[in-house]
Amino acid sequence: MTGTSSLLLGQKYCDALNLDFENSFRFQFVLSPEQRRLPGFGIRRFADRYLHVSPELALCEITSVEGTPLGLLLGQGVDADGNLLKDRHRLEFSAYDTELADKLENWVKWVSGRYALLLDLPTQTPVRRAYHDPVGSFGLVYDPETRVLASSLFLCLERDIDPSANYRPHDDVMADETISSLLPDFDPNLPAGGYGFGETLDARVRRLLANRYVDLDTFKEHRFWPGDEDFEPISMRKAAQIITRRMRQTMSALCNNLDGYFAISGGRDSRMLLAASPDLTDSGIKLYCYANNYITTLDLRVAEEIAEVVGQPLLGQVPDDGFRGSFLPRKRRSIPLRHQFAISTGLMHMGDDWWQRGFARKLDKGGVWIRGNFLEIATARWWPRRPGTYEEDMDYTLERIRVGLGDDADRARKMEQLRAWSKSFEYDFERHFHDFTYMDLTTAPPMANFHGYNRMFLVAPGSDRLIFKTAMQVPARQRQQTRFYDHIMNQLNPAMHAVPLARPVAYQSRRQGVNATHLLEERINEYRQAANA
């Protein structure tokens, strides 16, 4: 590819694909040693660098008790007291406190949401760091050579991609002739996608792992959580009390201050959040569900029932020609959407079926999209069903963490990466091994995809270390049997808990050889009769 050397790769690709830069990189940012001209982006000085920010990305200035600037939070975050961090937030710490860095780190540990936090502390030895939310859902990347930090790969690079020796793009990316013509050559024998352990499509750019920060002077990563946290077991009742209180705090902060959509379904995760939500009558948050395949028609039907429990309208989105249909008049209209998704995510992939069929185009632009992601921790879905040896656990994990796996040599190399990751903890975490692989490794590789769904700003309240820590204090077996989930829902909203779940009904219908839609209606009628008894 050719282009002006001062242009970022994202600008070059936008030019080549005839895409609008500001629209393609909505809700993103770049922190660079050099000042750049990024169409539509604002610019400010930060930590002796230039911070370029999409005008639609929320920004909160973090200050000391005296009002001294300490850092910036980009995105949406809710602190441990339930405050939505917006505009300007004054902490109780003094800028002259000799333990300022440690106190700020302890503060950020308990901030939930989806965000990047940039620190520039006026300490005797400057402390400049970049953190992100508990599961790394903001997807920060950085180049140790150029000292650029960005929200995604194409905002981190001025040069062309230096092909990874361990991964190649997904087949759908390579199958697009326009995009593939812009790319360097990748070894076709490499595993596709699933970039794990902080790797990206580029050999030199890294993705910041969850529960770590990157030093903005040395550009080295450091783990800062869990440290020596106490994970002693507690009762399901007590754990549910802690989690329900935190969910209520976070949902109140989001729903009472922001506009947008809350995506609910027929499952457990979004249901917990809805049960923890305040009265939405005067909120700018709308309940939303969609159907783009058969199973999601069941989700939509259940979503209607749980919306009725809280007395709120539901925007149920189905194309006019049915769940197999599209909101685009011609299939070619999806090409710009696919291209935009690809470059905004750093070629993670071309967008899912919901995105490519234009569902997002029918929703109001801007605002937030609240999702139930990451609450699988309450049901321990990523643990094996039976206890295994250390080696069995390692093999299980390597298969489960969504990393692209190749031949035996590739698997051996990635097993060594897994072993190195397991040694990064300060305490004996064996009892929580699978919880941390889920938090650090399973959720991290696909998080760049969130940048692709940029019609709204996605935020998952389940990205919260108090929720993770508390759930981990309940034995995995009790979580897998959904006993812990039952405790949470019975404390939040027993009536909503009684509404049937979509997936179990679908599973039962297959075992019984009956129609899932009909069986679900039977279950809903039984639930209604019991509720009215």
Side-chain angles (χ1 to χ4, degrees):
M1 262 180 80
T2 61
T4 306
S5 61
S6 61
L7 293 180
L8 290 176
L9 196 58
Q11 294 171 280
K12 299 174 186 177
Y13 271 60
C14 281
D15 290 344
L17 298 169
N18 196 29
L19 296 173
D20 178 76
F21 177 85
E22 182 181 348
N23 183 58
S24 298
F25 291 96
R26 185 184 293 126
F27 303 120
Q28 298 203 46
F29 79 91
V30 186
L31 182 64
S32 169
E34 299 176 355
Q35 185 172 348
R36 301 179 179 279
R37 292 184 179 180
L38 303 184
F41 275 39
I43 185 170
R44 63 190 293 167
R45 293 285 286 175
F46 183 83
D48 293 335
R49 295 169 173 84
Y50 295 93
L51 179 64
H52 309 77
V53 186
S54 163
E56 296 188 55
L57 179 61
L59 185 150
C60 177
E61 297 182 347
I62 308 298
T63 75
S64 70
V65 69
E66 301 92 355
T68 304
L70 302 177
L72 301 171
L73 184 138
L74 305 165
Q76 300 292 350
V78 179
D79 73 7
D81 296 320
N83 300 306
L84 182 70
L85 300 172
K86 58 181 181 178
D87 302 329
R88 187 177 178 89
H89 185 77
R90 189 186 300 266
L91 297 174
E92 297 179 355
F93 315 138
S94 170
Y96 307 102
D97 193 325
T98 57
E99 298 179 348
L100 178 60
D102 290 339
K103 289 183 177 180
L104 250 171
E105 183 166 273
N106 188 63
W107 173 77
V108 75
K109 284 178 185 177
W110 311 111
V111 176
S112 66
R114 179 170 172 246
Y115 58 83
L117 180 72
L118 310 179
L119 295 185
D120 183 15
L121 305 185
T123 48
Q124 185 172 5
T125 301
V127 173
R128 293 167 173 167
R129 299 173 180 172
Y131 295 81
H132 54 177
D133 58 78
V135 295
S137 66
F138 200 84
L140 286 179
V141 296
Y142 62 93
D143 187 335
E145 295 180 2
T146 61
R147 306 297 175 95
V148 173
L149 177 84
S151 46
S152 64
L153 181 64
F154 279 18
L155 293 185
C156 197
L157 292 175
E158 185 176 289
R159 56 175 171 79
D160 282 344
I161 294 171
D162 180 5
S164 166
N166 304 313
Y167 300 97
R168 64 171 176 83
H170 279 292
D171 292 339
D172 60 347
V173 175
M174 298 306 297
D176 187 286
E177 293 183 1
T178 308
I179 287 185
S180 61
S181 69
L182 303 174
L183 293 175
D185 292 331
F186 286 87
D187 183 348
N189 296 315
L190 291 175
Y195 314 96
F197 305 104
E199 295 187 69
T200 68
L201 193 60
D202 185 87
R204 289 176 272 172
V205 175
R206 285 194 54 79
R207 187 174 307 284
L208 180 61
L209 288 176
N211 301 310
R212 300 186 184 190
Y213 69 83
V214 60
D215 187 307
L216 294 177
D217 290 320
T218 65
F219 273 74
K220 293 182 179 179
E221 286 187 29
H222 303 270
R223 177 178 287 282
F224 70 94
W225 195 78
D228 57 356
E229 294 284 344
D230 178 9
F231 286 87
E232 288 302 312
I234 58 178
S235 70
M236 282 191 289
R237 178 184 178 85
K238 181 178 179 181
Q241 289 173 342
I242 295 170
I243 286 179
T244 55
R245 178 179 181 274
R246 182 55 179 165
M247 284 183 178
R248 286 186 172 119
Q249 272 189 329
T250 305
M251 293 305 293
S252 291
L254 297 173
C255 296
N256 290 334
N257 289 281
L258 300 172
D259 297 328
Y261 298 93
F262 178 4
I264 63 175
S265 72
R268 294 183 174 90
D269 303 335
S270 60
R271 185 178 307 207
M272 284 188 276
L273 294 180
L274 181 59
S277 297
D279 184 352
L280 299 176
T281 302
D282 297 320
S283 171
I285 300 296
K286 306 170 188 175
L287 298 184
Y288 166 74
C289 190
Y290 66 92
N292 67 337
N293 56 40
Y294 179 67
I295 192 65
T296 53
T297 64
L298 305 183
D299 278 329
L300 179 55
R301 182 66 187 91
V302 175
E304 292 171 349
E305 290 297 316
I306 62 176
E308 188 172 316
V309 172
V310 295
Q312 295 299 317
L314 172 74
L315 171 59
Q317 197 181 28
V318 188
D320 291 339
D321 48 349
F323 65 79
R324 293 188 179 90
S326 173
F327 286 102
L328 300 176
R330 292 179 298 278
K331 192 171 183 179
R332 286 188 59 82
R333 293 282 295 275
S334 72
I335 294 175
L337 294 176
R338 291 161 58 86
H339 288 169
Q340 179 189 305
F341 194 101
I343 67 161
S344 63
T345 61
L347 301 186
M348 292 294 286
H349 66 80
M350 305 288 280
D352 64 7
D353 189 60
W354 177 87
W355 178 260
Q356 293 185 19
R357 285 202 263 159
F359 281 71
R361 289 163 58 101
K362 293 295 182 179
L363 302 178
D364 294 336
K365 183 178 176 181
V368 296
W369 187 12
I370 300 172
R371 297 169 56 113
N373 296 72
F374 317 126
L375 288 173
E376 293 99 339
I377 192 68
T379 48
R381 297 183 201 173
W382 300 93
W383 279 71
R385 286 294 172 178
R386 297 178 182 80
T389 65
Y390 173 77
E391 290 301 329
E392 288 172 340
D393 280 349
M394 296 293 280
D395 288 338
Y396 171 89
T397 299
L398 193 61
E399 294 291 337
R400 196 67 192 265
I401 60 177
R402 299 176 176 173
V403 172
L405 295 174
D407 57 20
D408 289 345
D410 181 71
R411 288 169 177 264
R413 186 186 67 81
K414 287 166 184 171
M415 179 61 78
E416 287 306 307
Q417 289 181 302
L418 178 59
R419 294 184 194 280
W421 168 86
S422 71
K423 294 176 183 176
S424 68
F425 292 82
E426 294 181 15
Y427 84 112
D428 179 7
F429 77 113
E430 185 174 345
R431 183 161 53 91
H432 307 296
F433 177 80
H434 297 291
D435 289 318
F436 276 112
T437 57
Y438 170 71
M439 192 176 188
D440 276 20
L441 303 178
T442 305
T443 58
M447 286 305 101
N449 290 330
F450 274 16
H451 289 302
Y453 305 105
N454 63 8
R455 185 88 180 171
M456 295 79 66
F457 184 80
L458 273 67
V459 57
S463 178
D464 184 295
R465 289 189 183 89
L466 181 61
I467 290 176
F468 266 77
K469 175 185 175 181
T470 306
M472 289 159 63
Q473 292 177 268
V474 174
R477 192 61 178 161
Q478 294 178 343
R479 287 184 276 152
Q480 286 179 322
Q481 295 169 342
T482 70
R483 292 169 58 193
F484 184 46
Y485 166 79
D486 293 341
H487 272 268
I488 292 172
M489 284 302 300
N490 281 324
Q491 289 189 24
L492 287 172
N493 191 327
M496 190 181 297
H497 186 32
V499 178
L501 293 158
R503 263 54 176 186
V505 169
Y507 175 73
Q508 292 163 13
S509 71
R510 287 194 295 271
R511 294 191 64 182
Q512 297 174 20
V514 299
N515 182 278
T517 302
H518 295 162
L519 183 60
L520 178 59
E521 288 301 328
E522 288 181 16
R523 295 287 186 267
I524 289 175
N525 288 332
E526 291 169 1
Y527 143 75
R528 286 179 170 178
Q529 291 172 6
N532 294 327

